[in-house]
Amino acid sequence: MKDEIIYFTRNFLSPCSKAICKRTDEIRILNPDQDCTEALAHARAAIVDEDDENRQEVIKMLLKAKLPFALCGLAGETPDSLKKLWAAAKRRHIQVCWLGSWRYEWAMARLKETITSGVLGNIQQFKLTKPEGLGIFARLRDQDLLNWLSAYGNDAAYTFEEAPEVPYRLTVTGARGSATATILEDGRNEFAIALCDEPARVEVRESHPLEAEVGYLLFAIRTGRPWTMLGKIPN
């Protein structure tokens, strides 16, 4: 019976490795250099945390085994390579996704709750401020977050601003006020809300997004659910 979830990595100090190491009772850690034949035969799904060159070899192995898998980030990928990966997974009827979604940051989850509660009123604008330097993974993370949040503000305007040495910050403005989620340094998040005729409120907390994301992935695998809350590989 296939019951294992396996994790491929050579970097045991990566953020994903640190999250995985808290769940070693549920996940088997493998070095891709070792013989993985037996592990693949008993696995239900895999998580891949490898650099670009080594990762491609692991991806080929998982596609051949028709094993669902999640990628930690998308370093070195191109639109063309992602389309090919999506097509290959579709032919084999397996789920694939990427980990690293902004959705799992504590402040972004609070922002989602605020939007869906209706306290901001009709959503008028999403403003995203972020550090300079766009890559394919950064753009996917941004779009994934906005798609998730904007289900209740389809008519809202979108503005983007890049600047050096600024935090990742998303402000949602509605008819009754605004709310802002900010990713701070040292794993902290800030959530601020300012409603009409009410004092502004600010809360800062530690955030553990990869731990939450890995937890959801394991839940989805164990229950046979689709990976809808995880980063979709674009087609």
Side-chain angles (χ1 to χ4, degrees):
M1 178 180 177
K2 294 194 172 187
D3 56 4
E4 285 191 333
I5 298 169
I6 52 180
Y7 173 61
F8 291 97
T9 193
R10 292 179 175 85
N11 182 3
F12 295 100
L13 297 177
S14 72
C16 193
S17 287
K18 292 178 181 179
I20 294 293
C21 285
K22 295 185 177 182
R23 292 181 171 272
T24 51
D25 57 329
E26 300 177 79
I27 301 173
R28 180 179 176 184
I29 301 175
L30 296 175
N31 185 318
D33 293 327
Q34 67 189 77
D35 185 356
C36 303
T37 305
E38 182 180 352
L40 289 172
H42 293 90
R44 295 180 63 177
I47 302 170
V48 183
D49 184 15
E50 284 281 277
D51 59 31
D52 182 45
E53 182 178 351
N54 292 323
R55 183 166 58 184
Q56 295 308 313
E57 294 303 314
V58 177
I59 288 174
K60 290 178 183 177
M61 179 173 60
L62 296 174
L63 288 172
K64 185 177 180 181
K66 297 182 179 181
L67 192 67
F69 60 90
L71 298 172
C72 293
L74 293 172
E77 299 290 354
T78 65
D80 185 57
S81 69
L82 289 176
K83 287 180 180 179
K84 289 180 179 178
L85 174 55
W86 179 86
K90 184 179 180 181
R91 287 196 302 271
R92 292 162 176 81
H93 305 288
I94 60 173
Q95 297 189 88
V96 296
C97 70
W98 50 264
L99 302 180
S101 172
W102 291 120
R103 300 182 187 194
Y104 290 88
E105 292 283 358
W106 169 80
M108 295 303 175
R110 286 284 287 116
L111 195 59
K112 176 71 168 181
E113 291 172 1
T114 302
I115 293 171
T116 56
S117 73
V119 297
L120 296 179
N122 184 51
I123 304 302
Q124 300 169 339
Q125 183 186 63
F126 291 86
K127 181 179 180 181
L128 179 62
T129 304
K130 57 184 292 186
E132 290 180 322
L134 283 176
I136 185 171
F137 186 43
R139 292 194 298 272
L140 278 176
R141 295 175 87 189
D142 295 344
Q143 195 58 56
D144 174 72
L145 176 65
L146 290 172
N147 288 343
W148 181 55
L149 291 172
S150 64
Y152 294 85
N154 293 324
D155 296 327
Y158 296 85
T159 61
F160 299 86
E161 180 181 329
E162 286 187 283
E165 299 182 6
V166 298
Y168 191 95
R169 174 177 290 128
L170 181 61
T171 298
V172 180
T173 302
R176 300 175 189 164
S178 65
T180 300
T182 305
I183 311 302
L184 302 172
E185 296 179 354
D186 302 324
R188 294 177 303 136
N189 284 187
E190 178 185 280
F191 176 76
I193 184 168
L195 300 176
C196 297
D197 302 321
E198 289 187 22
R201 304 192 304 273
V202 179
E203 187 175 359
V204 178
R205 286 192 188 181
E206 288 190 1
S207 182
H208 304 280
L210 266 173
E211 291 180 25
E213 199 170 14
V214 168
Y216 177 81
L217 174 63
L218 296 181
F219 169 74
I221 292 169
R222 297 297 188 194
T223 58
R225 296 170 184 259
W227 301 357
T228 52
M229 281 290 290
L230 299 161
K232 181 181 178 183
I233 301 292
N235 55 30

